[in-house]
Amino acid sequence: AMANLHYKGHMMNKKILLSAAISLAALQVSAQPFTPTDARGMAMGGTGVASAKTVHSVQYNPSLLSGGHESDDFGLLLPQLGGYVADEDEFIDSADDFADADYAEKFNIAIKGVESSPGVFNGGIEEPLNNIKAALQAVNDASAAEDLAQLNIATGVLNGHVGDLTTGTNTLTIATADLNGGLASISEKALRGGVGGGAGIAIPSKKFSVAISANNSTSFSGKLSVSQSDMDLLTDYTSATNAYALTLADYTSATTDLTAALTQIKVRQDASEAPTQAELDAVTNAQNSVSTANTALVGFDYNGTAGNAIFVGGALAPGADDIALSSTVSLIAIAISEVAISISREFTIADRQVAIGITPKLQRVDAYNYIVSVEDDTDTDNISDYAVEDTGFNLDIGASTKFGYEDRGTAGLVIKNIISRDVQTTDNNPLTTNDAVVSISPQVRAGVSYAAWGWLHLAADLDLMENDPVAFEDGTQFAAFGAEADVLSFLQVRTGFRTNLAASDQEVVSFGLGISPFSLFHMDLGLYANVSDPKKEAGAVFELGIDW
């Protein structure tokens, strides 16, 4: 029924907007890209494999614990908090445009225009149909009784009803087309984001270094999927109502002609004159037209594009007032929590001092594969029902060595998550036909850094392999460059650039500041944003720590 369509369409729109970032399906996914939550590293383009300091080195390359200054005795990081959001498909802009255009409200107004025509439509489509049926019956009764006065009244009422319905359905047709276009503009556009945090303590040394750290990195990826069948359904009901209104208009036109012809005969009779043959033929022709139009109206059938019957025999088909929408909302998310102990020391290899570091870690993976139909009023408090947890052991290993004048340069290499692990997501959701598999895979990155004049630090990192996406977005293979200027050992100004070699238009610029008064503690902020449009990707990290 049109009222039910109105309700379902309204609920669909409401859930779409409330779910803004999320939808669809189970697939093969992998863990996050190589993006530690580190304010200094983020501000320098995401570099750190050869340039991270003390306690930060655990996140990038544990061998750097042995590569600091002789004066480095202790490092403490607490807290470290960051987050980012990426919208390469411009979902947020599309959703804003959708909201600004007010397609859903215009659709609802059009529905009400059909439902609430003055004195006629007070409920769903059943109420207009009942009113029109009553008007039709009044026309038929007046015609059978040959009550011309009553026929004139009944025909006028029917004409008013049909005129209102036709005007309303024309407006609804336009509003439906606009709504479907708007829904299509926000469907299948991925949105991703993440949050992270960490804490750690490090005791660096050339001979033997150790650090203990704990961190969490949570990434989500999703997209809204508005099914074509739902958009077709909206169009079908609008088209069916419009077609019924046109069939009614044909009938009312025929009854109007019949009323006019009979009126002319009545005028002749009142004047005691015999009607002309043309006037008698007009009545006969009008009666035939009414009969033909009535047959079309009584036998009016309409099937939707999917074959679902909407009208049968001039009435709503059984079940036509029970619309089932198939659009879905879902989320794939990965939360990785780690508790790690990092150990590092320097070795002499081929007459060169090479630092080797390892980070054995207890790694917990929480994977969410959440998918729900817009038909369902699912309690989001129970999202944990769609999660699985897997805890296991993993290992990072890194190496670094000094080079250049006074060993001012550093080259580093790290392999993170050496032990591959697959986590099968839950199958609690009946809409999930193929559960997602979260793969924790090795990540390999190389880096180089150089310290010049005691106050300028340059760094570059490169992923040596492509990292698979969390779910719907592109894979990542980052090339990053950064610089830091240390002003009087008190203020650090940082900037950087990062590009994703595995995708286009994903270049970001970064900036950050650090404050380290009297070398007692440090407070750092890192920011980054997409070069072409900050709305496509932006992130920030703040941290507070101590380095002695």
Side-chain angles (χ1 to χ4, degrees):
M2 188 62 72
N4 197 37
L5 177 60
H6 172 212
Y7 170 75
K8 295 292 182 67
H10 174 70
M11 289 302 295
M12 177 182 182
N13 175 55
K14 178 180 177 183
K15 291 179 181 179
I16 286 170
L17 296 179
L18 288 178
S19 305
I22 334 176
S23 165
L24 193 65
L27 67 164
Q28 179 73 25
V29 299
S30 295
Q32 299 99 321
F34 195 131
T35 52
T37 306
D38 166 37
R40 179 176 181 267
M42 175 181 282
M44 296 174 66
T47 57
V49 171
S51 56
K53 294 183 176 180
T54 57
V55 71
H56 302 91
S57 61
V58 175
Q59 297 173 295
Y60 292 95
N61 183 351
S63 72
L64 297 180
L65 283 169
S66 299
H69 298 291
E70 294 288 349
S71 59
D72 291 341
D73 295 324
F74 174 77
L76 176 66
L77 180 64
L78 184 69
Q80 184 183 66
L81 300 171
Y84 72 93
V85 62
D87 185 20
E88 289 93 350
D89 293 332
E90 300 183 358
F91 172 83
I92 294 175
D93 281 349
S94 297
D96 287 342
D97 291 342
F98 180 86
D100 291 342
D102 227 4
Y103 292 129
E105 182 60 23
K106 290 175 181 177
F107 176 76
N108 290 336
I109 291 173
I111 290 286
K112 292 176 182 177
V114 171
E115 294 176 347
S116 305
S117 298
V120 180
F121 304 125
N122 301 312
I125 195 172
E126 287 285 6
E127 186 65 25
L129 287 180
N130 287 336
N131 289 331
I132 287 174
K133 286 178 181 178
L136 286 171
Q137 187 62 49
V139 169
N140 291 334
D141 290 346
S143 178
E146 298 183 355
D147 186 339
L148 186 58
Q150 190 60 39
L151 182 60
N152 268 301
I153 295 173
T155 300
V157 171
L158 180 60
N159 274 327
H161 290 348
V162 174
D164 289 338
L165 181 60
T166 303
T167 299
T169 56
N170 288 338
T171 301
L172 181 60
T173 298
I174 297 171
T176 301
D178 289 343
L179 176 61
N180 280 345
L183 292 174
S185 73
I186 60 176
S187 182
E188 303 298 333
K189 291 190 173 182
L191 183 74
R192 63 185 175 91
V195 294
I201 183 171
I203 304 174
S205 169
K206 295 290 185 181
K207 294 182 179 180
F208 184 80
S209 304
V210 65
I212 300 174
S213 62
N215 62 80
N216 173 272
S217 179
T218 300
S219 298
F220 75 83
S221 181
K223 59 181 178 179
L224 171 67
S225 182
V226 181
S227 72
Q228 184 61 47
S229 62
D230 284 353
M231 292 190 287
D232 290 344
L233 197 60
L234 292 174
T235 300
D236 285 345
Y237 271 75
T238 299
S239 299
T241 307
N242 191 54
Y244 184 74
L246 292 175
T247 304
L248 276 170
D250 289 341
Y251 180 81
T252 58
S253 177
T255 57
T256 299
D257 290 345
L258 177 60
T259 302
L262 290 174
T263 300
Q264 185 59 36
I265 297 296
K266 181 68 166 58
V267 169
R268 292 287 189 185
Q269 291 174 343
D270 291 344
S272 299
E273 297 177 0
T276 67
Q277 186 60 43
E279 289 169 342
L280 293 173
D281 290 344
V283 171
T284 301
N285 292 336
Q287 288 174 333
N288 291 336
S289 295
V290 168
S291 177
T292 299
N294 183 66
T295 299
L297 190 61
V298 171
F300 179 77
D301 294 339
Y302 196 98
N303 292 325
T305 55
N308 53 308
I310 299 176
F311 278 89
V312 174
L316 279 180
D321 59 345
D322 186 15
I323 303 172
L325 300 177
S326 60
S327 295
T328 54
V329 173
S330 82
L331 171 69
I332 288 179
I334 304 169
I336 299 179
S337 304
E338 297 176 343
V339 177
I341 298 177
S342 300
I343 302 170
S344 175
R345 65 160 295 174
E346 285 192 340
F347 298 88
T348 301
I349 301 176
D351 296 326
R352 174 176 290 277
Q353 293 299 112
V354 178
I356 304 293
I358 61 171
T359 302
K361 55 189 180 182
L362 186 65
Q363 187 178 67
R364 168 172 166 162
V365 178
D366 291 274
Y368 297 82
N369 184 21
Y370 175 70
I371 179 169
V372 61
S373 168
V374 295
E375 285 287 297
D376 299 334
D377 292 322
T378 302
D379 187 354
T380 54
D381 292 339
N382 296 329
I383 193 172
S384 58
D385 293 342
Y386 303 91
V388 294
E389 174 268 322
D390 183 81
T391 301
F393 173 82
N394 219 317
L395 181 70
D396 301 341
I397 184 168
S400 59
T401 185
K402 298 288 186 177
F403 68 90
Y405 177 69
E406 294 182 345
D407 285 341
R408 292 182 179 180
T410 303
L413 178 70
V414 67
I415 306 174
K416 295 176 69 70
N417 300 319
I418 290 177
I419 303 172
S420 296
R421 297 167 56 206
D422 288 340
V423 179
Q424 186 83 17
T425 62
T426 180
D427 60 357
N428 286 349
N429 197 316
L431 294 179
T432 305
T433 56
N434 296 297
D435 301 328
V437 176
V438 175
S439 297
I440 305 301
S441 303
Q443 298 171 319
V444 185
R445 178 176 285 193
V448 62
S449 68
Y450 193 83
W453 307 301
W455 58 271
L456 180 63
H457 302 267
L458 305 174
D461 280 13
L462 175 65
D463 286 332
L464 300 184
M465 58 188 296
E466 183 176 335
N467 300 306
D468 291 332
V470 173
F472 307 109
E473 68 282 358
D474 298 316
T476 60
Q477 186 174 11
F478 292 138
F481 309 90
E484 176 188 62
D486 193 345
V487 182
L488 302 176
S489 299
F490 176 84
L491 175 67
Q492 294 79 44
V493 181
R494 302 160 183 144
T495 188
F497 174 81
R498 188 193 75 196
T499 183
N500 184 4
L501 302 178
S504 60
D505 196 25
Q506 292 189 19
E507 291 78 28
V508 302
V509 292
S510 58
F511 176 78
L513 294 173
I515 300 175
S516 52
F518 312 110
S519 298
L520 294 178
F521 69 92
H522 65 86
M523 182 168 58
D524 301 279
L525 175 67
L527 306 169
Y528 79 89
N530 185 276
V531 173
S532 62
D533 185 357
K535 293 179 181 179
K536 289 187 176 181
E537 185 173 5
V541 176
F542 171 80
E543 65 181 52
L544 182 65
I546 298 173
D547 287 320
W548 286 346

